[in-house]
Amino acid sequence: MSQTPTDEVYGHYIDGDWTQGTGAETFESQNPATGESLAEFHRGTDDDVDAALEAAEDAFEEWRDHSYIDRAEYLWEIYHELRDRHDELGEIVTKECGKEISEGKADVTEAWHMVEWAAGNARHPHGDVVPSEVASKDAYMRRKPRGVVGCITPWNFPVAIPFWHMAIALVEGNTVVWKPAEQTPWCGQIIAEMMAESGIPDGVFNMIQGYGDAGAAITEDDRVDTVLFTGSAEVGQEIASKVGGEPGKLAACEMGGKNGIIITEEADLDTAVHSAIMSSFKTTGQRCVSSERLIVHTDVYDEFKARFVDLATDVAVGNPLEESTFMGPAIEAEHVEKIRRHNDLAVEEGAEVLVDRFELEDGEIPDGHGEGAATAADGERSGSYANGHWVGPFVYEIEYDTDLRCLEEECFGPHVALLEYDGDIDRALEIHNDTPYGLAGAIISEDYRQINRFRDRAELGLAYGNLPCIGAEVQLPFGGVKKSGNGYPSAREAIEAVTERTAWTINNSRKIEMAQGLSADITTSED
């Protein structure tokens, strides 16, 4: 699929074939910066999901018989294509989900890093040799693929996260049925084209375009052995609760967060302000690790607040294709309204607003003269960027209270609270941990004792010291605790979710000898 909008209606990839599916409904991919249509896609039905799952189930036995190395060979083709098309695909990511261009390109880079890790892991040692109590026995653990893996991925990392899930699942010998986010089907189409062009056997990889009903049909089907999900807490909890009640079926779900940064009295404020701006406003606050709470010690609060507010007031919102842009648009109109509701809630609960750029001034919205913009004959903006989903930073301070909804509920936007605290690191941790979520968090301090206390006592899955609360390297696990998740659908921990372990013991002697001193003698009534 090219970068040029087209009149073609794209479909699904099932059992090695492109198909329009059985439904009559279609939906559009839209550029969130302009509102323009990028492409049209057929919406998947239960029958389409059924066909994809049947294909995946039928392909499993033959696929699992391939060696690790043979399975990985198909992914190396994709690795090279991701690298060769880096700039092109980065621009497509930016056009479809609104991330500024360096983030769009980084999304593609992360994808090839994950493919490289998963495919390279095929040649690494697998399993564990475990000493036996009995000298004549060998004991070890061996992994086997679980079967059909259902993958449900989000719009904010439309290339990277699908490969978190699928690269590992495929190399480990599973077959896949994948539903991309309905907001980013163009990226899904391109990934499916890469899979098809790699020559991967029919039925091993299948893609269904569509909405949540298609995702539910995948995750709830008995033929799916593992569900890998990254997305909202509400959907993830529903998946985890349903799958958890089915014996033998697993779900690894990475969900949202109400992430916080602790800035102690020992913080370097240059590092603190830089990290907080990155954490709060990169990707327009639409990362599951974005920070919505800044917990600042009273000794440095006033200076930090002044510097943070100054930058938040000026941070560049604009055309995401331009390198000078720091924040692009929100993903869609419905999400803009969600951010508005969270901002209003903070005010209702007593917030003092420090920065309110929710409704941007006319001069802050791109003027339509930038790259890819549509302009009228007289040179005025034709309405292209005016139809985008624009929001700016919203910053407020509020006195901490455990019952405040604005400090408990995830906004998933450029919405951030400043909370002043007095006392030691344990007081900061008390505030930090007072949320139903536990995905990510950071501490800014020059005192290693404070840093290590945070590392050990913060309730989260991803912790950062003197860094933004943002970013991931593919070789590290990515997931959270509490409401933020029940698994880590990436890196080594994803292998746990898509494989079964067999503890294997073999006797090298002609005599049977048991552990724990258990007698192996067989006696009879005559004895």
Side-chain angles (χ1 to χ4, degrees), residues 175-210:
T175 55
V176 164
V177 177
W178 171 46
K179 192 200 84 68
E182 61 268 24
Q183 295 90 343
T184 50
W186 185 7
C187 291
Q189 172 72 22
I190 290 172
I191 291 171
E193 289 174 359
M194 289 183 182
M195 288 286 189
E197 291 164 5
S198 76
I200 199 166
D202 295 350
V204 170
F205 164 83
N206 306 271
M207 179 197 69
I208 300 292
Q209 297 278 20

Side-chain angles (χ1 to χ4, degrees), residues 32-34 316-322 325 327-329 360-371 373-375 380-391:
T34 64
V317 180
N319 180 354
L321 290 171
E322 294 180 356
T325 293
M327 274 178 55
L360 295 168
E361 301 292 334
D362 287 343
E364 296 183 283
I365 297 172
D367 64 7
H369 291 74
E371 182 179 351
T375 54
E380 295 297 319
R381 188 169 72 239
S382 66
S384 175
Y385 284 101
N387 294 327
H389 310 306
W390 299 102
V391 295

Side-chain angles (χ1 to χ4, degrees), residues 21-218:
T22 59
E25 289 188 54
T26 63
F27 66 102
E28 289 185 340
S29 167
Q30 293 187 344
N31 183 331
T34 64
E36 69 176 324
S37 176
L38 298 171
E40 189 174 2
F41 298 83
H42 289 280
R43 179 172 176 171
T45 65
D46 287 355
D47 288 340
D48 300 329
V49 170
D50 179 70
L53 290 171
E54 182 179 357
E57 187 177 46
D58 290 347
F60 172 61
E61 288 299 331
E62 183 175 346
W63 180 242
R64 74 181 299 182
D65 285 342
H66 286 62
S67 71
Y68 275 98
I69 294 164
D70 286 345
R71 293 192 294 256
E73 284 299 314
Y74 294 99
L75 289 181
W76 285 120
E77 299 293 326
I78 294 169
Y79 165 81
H80 289 295
E81 186 169 1
L82 287 167
R83 294 200 64 161
D84 291 345
R85 299 175 65 187
H86 178 229
D87 289 350
E88 173 204 352
L89 297 180
E91 188 170 323
I92 290 171
V93 170
T94 290
K95 285 181 177 178
E96 192 168 43
C97 80
K99 296 197 291 191
E100 56 88 6
I101 188 64
S102 77
E103 293 188 90
K105 292 178 181 179
D107 198 303
V108 180
T109 301
E110 187 172 333
W112 90 53
H113 284 175
M114 190 70 253
V115 173
E116 179 183 45
W117 187 91
N121 192 51
R123 289 187 180 269
H124 290 179
H126 287 66
D128 300 295
V129 177
V130 183
S132 171
E133 290 182 31
V134 180
S136 63
K137 290 181 182 177
D138 288 333
Y140 56 89
M141 287 185 286
R142 184 176 177 85
R143 292 193 177 276
K144 297 179 289 189
R146 288 182 55 82
V148 178
V149 175
C151 299
I152 313 295
T153 58
W155 55 262
N156 59 340
F157 285 83
V159 178
I161 291 180
F163 284 110
W164 286 11
H165 293 194
M166 297 190 298
I168 292 169
L170 292 169
V171 169
E172 292 295 327
N174 302 276
T175 55
V176 164
V177 177
W178 171 46
K179 192 200 84 68
E182 61 268 24
Q183 295 90 343
T184 50
W186 185 7
C187 291
Q189 172 72 22
I190 290 172
I191 291 171
E193 289 174 359
M194 289 183 182
M195 288 286 189
E197 291 164 5
S198 76
I200 199 166
D202 295 350
V204 170
F205 164 83
N206 306 271
M207 179 197 69
I208 300 292
Q209 297 278 20
Y211 284 75
D213 55 341
I218 293 170

